[in-house]
Amino acid sequence: MKKEVIIIGSGLGGLVSAASLAKQGKKVTVLEQHYQQGGYATSFRRKKLEFEVSLHLMGDLGEGGGLKKILDELGVLQKVSFYKVDSLYKAVFPDKSIVALSGNYKDYAQSLLSMFPHEKNGIEEIIATFLQIRNEIQSITEKRNSGEHIDFINEAPTVFAYQNETLHSMLSKFINSKELISVFSQYWMYFGLPPSQMAAVFYAYVWTEYHVFGGYYPESRSQSISDALKEIIVENGGEVLLRKKVMKILHEEGKVFGVETARGERFFSDYIISNANPHHTFHELVGGYEYLPKRYATKVKNQVPSLSCVQAYVYLDIDLPKQYNESNHEIFVNEHYDTEKAYEDVLNNSPKTAPFCITIYENINKEYHEIGKTTLSLFQLSSYEQWKNLDKNVYVAKKQELIEILLTRLDEQYPGTKEHVEYVELSTPFTNERYTKNTNGAIYGAAQTVSQSLHRRLPQQTPITGLYLAGAWTQPGGGYSGSIWSGYNLANSILLEERKRLANVTNE
């Protein structure tokens, strides 16, 4: 039987595109290789424990937020409840700490002013610039999704002005203090690039998602978001089929007509959305880059993946927040202000000094697990290169060594916690690669550099007719927000394209 739309992979980009199309009456089929949907937006169980795979917080869910609009429109907010956190994070530096309040950029600005009073004008101007970038991006996105013509230069002058700037070069136009630039760039850890390499416009927009519209976490972990999207797809006549590993995208004469799974099953459709990474999509599923125009093939092959990560999932038999008077759920630990040095520590495999992040889930939900105990995530960026070509014994030993290092660094922040570890498990770049098939275990898709940002990022429409891309590797960018927007924008684009085609047929 022919399907209207087939979606390969059930990451957030795939699920959101499927849910959006299903809500508009399209019969969609999502094919997922894993035993549960969600990609990185999942959780996993270890007996009585259920750990969050990746989510620390989602932004933009406050009143007026773009993600709130999307999730409300799809019906996710009617199925999933979210906690709003009081603070976004606490950033620990060698000589000071700063707390960023959730959705309150004015108080954050005051905190910065108290530490850097001589940078008052710069702080105010950079925040105003970030807000303007957000407004312009929102405006042109809405126009694009409604099919209106966009005059990019005149309608998004701030975005246009900074499209070739790194975060560091942008901040340096307003701020003199290297320390303040480092403090303002704290989220760099969540994008895997130091300010000297990260696209300024992308960082500015994501900064507003959290600092203006708040940080949120779902009551039942990120898996509940993926589960809700699956329910919406099914309720609207679609299907999400698990353990269906797609091996081939069927095509002829530059046009798709279906897919084939590992078990030899064939599903036919003229519309295929790949939520798999582009390298896998074209090299493996399509069958090779020779089916693409040379220029496009080069763009795909030259995509630089983001960094991966290691993450220790830890369960303590004590109430850490109560015992150590820690009210923040997210603690960034920086050994120095020099973000370039910090990035080098990541690349040079120096986990004892590379920055890392402690997430305390009971400071979001006191009943996350058992009252009186604590669920933690110890997150650190990591390069895939450090883990490849290791034999099994060396790999296992390296994992144990890293667990010890991370627990020791946790103990330095909260002395004595190391003695209260009831359970610990470590994921690595290989873990990420195994479960998501992302190149090099990338956690943010294509690295968010200037050359891979905005219009330079891989477009969602491909040269093969009927084949589209969704997810972190394509426009607009990585992370939960970028993936959700990719699915939403793509669905709107396909529906708009179809309406135009039908209108042309009618006019003929």
Side-chain angles (χ1 to χ4, degrees):
M1 179 180 177
K2 193 170 186 177
K3 311 290 183 179
E4 281 194 84
V5 185
I6 292 172
I7 296 92
I8 303 170
S10 68
L12 288 177
L15 288 174
V16 169
S17 63
S20 298
L21 291 168
K23 292 273 287 187
Q24 295 299 316
K26 296 295 180 185
K27 300 302 179 186
V28 303
T29 296
V30 181
L31 302 175
E32 168 57 46
Q33 64 163 351
H34 196 28
Y35 60 78
Q36 64 183 2
Q37 63 282 340
Y40 281 125
T42 57
S43 59
F44 66 94
R45 291 185 177 276
R46 293 295 183 264
K47 295 184 178 179
K48 65 177 182 178
L49 304 176
E50 182 180 359
F51 289 102
E52 171 67 57
V53 166
S54 68
L55 183 60
H56 298 242
L57 280 184
M58 288 178 67
D60 220 27
L61 292 179
E63 199 59 43
L67 284 190
K68 176 179 171 62
K69 175 181 177 294
I70 294 175
L71 297 186
D72 193 28
E73 180 182 311
L74 292 178
V76 173
L77 296 185
Q78 287 71 56
K79 295 177 179 291
V80 182
S81 297
F82 288 82
Y83 293 101
K84 181 183 180 183
V85 299
D86 294 325
S87 71
L88 294 173
Y89 61 81
K90 178 173 74 175
V92 178
F93 290 93
D95 59 345
K96 61 174 69 77
S97 295
I98 181 171
V99 173
L101 298 178
S102 181
N104 194 331
Y105 70 90
K106 293 180 180 179
D107 277 0
Y108 178 64
Q110 288 301 315
S111 297
L112 295 179
L113 285 170
S114 68
M115 293 189 294
F116 304 95
H118 54 291
E119 297 280 7
K120 180 178 186 297
N121 290 340
I123 291 169
E124 292 174 349
E125 288 173 3
I126 192 64
I127 290 177
T129 302
F130 278 18
L131 295 174
Q132 183 60 28
I133 285 173
R134 179 191 175 84
N135 291 338
E136 291 176 5
I137 289 177
Q138 282 285 304
S139 176
I140 61 177
T141 300
E142 289 174 6
K143 286 190 173 184
R144 184 182 68 178
N145 284 340
S146 62
E148 295 180 51
H149 172 72
I150 299 171
D151 181 355
F152 184 73
I153 296 176
N154 291 317
E155 295 183 48
T158 317
V159 174
F160 184 77
Y162 289 102
Q163 63 175 325
N164 296 319
E165 299 275 359
T166 65
L167 177 61
H168 185 272
S169 63
M170 180 193 207
L171 294 178
S172 297
K173 295 180 187 300
F174 301 91
I175 297 170
N176 293 315
S177 169
K178 292 181 180 179
E179 289 186 359
L180 178 54
I181 289 177
S182 180
V183 170
F184 213 100
S185 306
Q186 181 62 82
Y187 274 135
W188 78 268
M189 280 179 60
Y190 280 163
F191 305 120
L193 282 174
S196 63
Q197 298 182 43
M198 188 184 310
V201 171
F202 180 78
Y203 189 91
Y205 185 89
V206 176
W207 188 94
T208 66
E209 288 189 324
Y210 292 96
H211 286 270
V212 180
F213 296 96
Y216 294 80
Y217 186 81
E219 284 187 4
S220 300
R221 301 164 179 76
S222 66
Q223 185 67 59
S224 63
I225 301 172
S226 301
D227 291 348
L229 287 166
K230 178 183 177 180
E231 288 178 15
I232 292 164
I233 292 165
V234 173
E235 289 167 359
N236 287 276
E239 56 187 353
V240 178
L241 305 180
L242 305 177
R243 302 182 190 275
K244 298 287 185 182
K245 184 177 181 179
V246 173
M247 299 299 289
K248 292 180 183 178
I249 292 175
L250 306 175
H251 58 96
E252 60 183 5
E253 298 181 354
K255 184 177 181 179
V256 299
F257 64 89
V259 300
E260 183 176 309
T261 71
R263 296 180 180 177
E265 302 161 291
R266 286 193 165 196
F267 298 83
F268 299 100
S269 176
D270 295 328
Y271 285 94
I272 296 174
I273 297 171
S274 178
N275 193 197
N277 81 77
H279 303 279
H280 182 67
T281 297
F282 294 109
H283 183 60
E284 302 294 337
L285 303 184
V286 168
Y289 294 113
E290 61 268 25
Y291 295 105
L292 303 172
K294 288 185 178 180
R295 187 172 181 179
Y296 184 87
T298 299
K299 187 177 181 68
V300 174
K301 288 187 283 187
N302 288 346
Q303 271 198 316
V304 178
S306 75
L307 282 175
S308 189
C309 71
V310 292
Q311 194 161 203
Y313 305 97
V314 184
Y315 193 57
L316 304 178
D317 65 7
I318 56 170
D319 186 337
L320 185 151
K322 182 178 180 180
Q323 189 163 321
Y324 294 89
N325 193 29
E326 179 58 82
S327 60
N328 297 284
H329 87 284
E330 194 91 322
I331 299 93
F332 290 109
V333 181
N334 304 278
E335 295 297 326
H336 33 243
Y337 284 99
D338 188 342
T339 53
E340 291 302 309
K341 176 65 169 65
Y343 184 62
E344 288 176 11
D345 285 346
V346 171
L347 297 183
N348 294 334
N349 192 23
S350 302
K352 293 182 180 179
T353 54
F356 80 113
C357 178
I358 303 164
T359 305
I360 306 172
Y361 285 101
E362 275 73 15
N363 274 343
I364 303 174
N365 175 5
K366 293 188 183 301
E367 298 180 354
Y368 198 82
H369 274 128
E370 184 179 344
I371 298 295
K373 298 193 177 185
T374 309
T375 313
L376 305 175
S377 163
L378 307 181
F379 168 92
Q380 190 172 64
L381 291 167
S382 181
S383 168
Y384 183 84
E385 299 298 315
Q386 299 163 14
W387 295 87
K388 73 175 186 179
N389 300 326
L390 300 180
D391 66 36
K392 183 177 180 180
N393 292 335
V394 175
Y395 177 75
V396 171
K398 185 177 176 67
K399 287 180 65 174
Q400 287 304 122
E401 178 186 9
L402 194 49
I403 286 173
E404 181 65 22
I405 290 171
L406 291 174
L407 291 178
T408 297
R409 294 189 69 183
L410 172 69
D411 202 76
E412 290 169 356
Q413 298 298 315
Y414 308 102
T417 50
K418 197 173 179 181
E419 301 172 7
H420 294 279
V421 175
E422 189 172 305
Y423 182 85
V424 61
E425 179 175 341
L426 187 82
S427 67
T428 73
F430 271 22
T431 314
N432 296 333
E433 183 183 51
R434 175 186 175 192
Y435 285 105
T436 69
K437 301 300 181 186
N438 275 303
T439 303
N440 289 5
I443 51 177
Y444 307 119
Q448 201 70 51
T449 58
V450 171
S451 63
Q452 295 185 156
S453 182
L454 297 173
H455 59 285
R456 302 180 187 94
R457 204 168 183 84
L458 205 62
Q460 296 192 270
Q461 189 167 6
T462 79
I464 299 176
T465 302
L467 178 60
Y468 303 85
L469 303 176
W473 293 82
T474 186
Q475 295 176 6
Y480 277 60
S481 171
S483 296
I484 289 171
W485 272 108
S486 81
Y488 182 76
N489 290 342
L490 177 57
N492 277 295
S493 177
I494 290 174
L495 292 168
L496 183 62
E497 183 182 297
E498 186 175 76
R499 286 197 295 271
K500 288 180 178 179
R501 188 175 64 253
L502 290 175
N504 289 335
V505 171
T506 301
N507 292 334
E508 291 175 0

